[in-house]
Each structure stands twice: as C-alpha cells, then as structure tokens.
Amino acid sequence: IKIHDGNLSEFGVFPEKFERDNWIRNRKLTAGRPDKKYILDFYVYHNRVRMYDSNGNLYKDIIVNDSFERNSLSSDIASLNICFYRICYNSDYIVAVYGNSKNNKEIQIWTWDGLLRKRLFTGQGFTLMCLSEDDTLYAIDSEKPNVLFSYKI
C-alpha cells in the first residue's frame, strides 16, 4: 500500500497468490530512501528480490542463485525455509543476511541498482546490524553480546 496525493493505493504484487492461509509466505523486508530511484523488497521465504519504482511499478524481479539446499515451500509455517533474515542500508549499499539456518548464513552486499556485489560467508547469525555512511558494517550476534563485528565494504 502506498499513499499518493493523500489516497491509499496498492503497491506491487506478491510472488505467490495471496490467500488467507499463506499470507506469511509473502513477508518481505523493504529498503527504501527518498534519494533513491528504487525500492527493494527482500522476501523472507523466497530467494527473491524485487525492485519497484516510486509509483509501485515492478522494475526488476531477481531470483537469487542459492548455494543452500532448501525444501519446497510448505503450507506448514513451521517448516518454511527462511531466505532473508534482516537488512540494513546506507546511501551506497544494502546489506542482507541470507541463509538457511542460524549457523549457515551469508552476508550479501547489494547496490541500489539491484546488483549483488559480494557474498560473505560468516557462519554468524547476526541479531543487530547497522551500516555506517563510511560503508562499515557493524553487527552483533546475540549469542556473543560482548563481541562487535565490523567489516569495511
């Protein structure tokens, strides 16, 4: 849903038909900034990123090549495979945590033009992340709260 001239309207489409029992499978994490041309949606239960313009028109639908073995989408919510866990961004990059389990994750570095620039295999399940304007990623794993991870993109 977007607000345009004070009115609400639909924005984008779901990757899978929206029905009462499967709504959670279309959950997404959204990155957007007023100074950027596109809004990027990272789907929690699909290896997919979608780019939209500010009018809600689909610009690019990106399927992420996955190095992890996954089960097919199930109707059982508990057995769904999570693809994108969390995101953070600055004016240059979007950082996404992607994987199939707590200990089998990677950090993906995306541009605002929808290009996947880097994949970093960390083995960490970051709970909190932020990306500074000097392109340094700071992250904390809740299982190691006294350790601050940092990575210069």
Side-chain angles (χ1 to χ4, degrees), residues 17 27 31 33-34 50-51 78-79 82 128 133 138 150-151:
K17 184 179 177 186
R27 186 171 165 234
R33 290 175 54 109
R50 282 191 169 165
M51 292 177 64
S79 66
I82 296 177
L128 297 171
E133 281 301 321
Y138 297 96
S150 65
Y151 177 77

Side-chain angles (χ1 to χ4, degrees), residues 9-73:
S9 63
E10 291 186 11
F11 185 98
V13 294
F14 291 113
E16 159 177 338
K17 184 179 177 186
F18 183 83
E19 295 177 1
R20 183 177 161 197
D21 294 335
N22 75 347
W23 66 271
I24 197 161
R25 294 191 323 214
N26 289 309
R27 186 171 165 234
K28 60 190 175 185
L29 307 168
T30 301
R33 290 175 54 109
D35 60 335
K36 297 300 176 188
K37 189 175 179 179
Y38 300 109
I39 297 167
L40 285 84
D41 285 338
F42 295 79
Y43 284 86
V44 174
Y45 297 108
H46 298 270
N47 352 338
R48 142 179 275 144
V49 177
R50 282 191 169 165
M51 292 177 64
Y52 294 93
D53 66 20
S54 60
N55 292 317
N57 300 310
L58 181 63
Y59 175 74
K60 192 186 290 186
D61 191 0
I62 304 162
I63 303 299
V64 178
N65 292 328
D66 197 342
S67 59
F68 302 116
E69 183 178 326
R70 296 190 185 280
N71 299 326
S72 61
L73 284 175

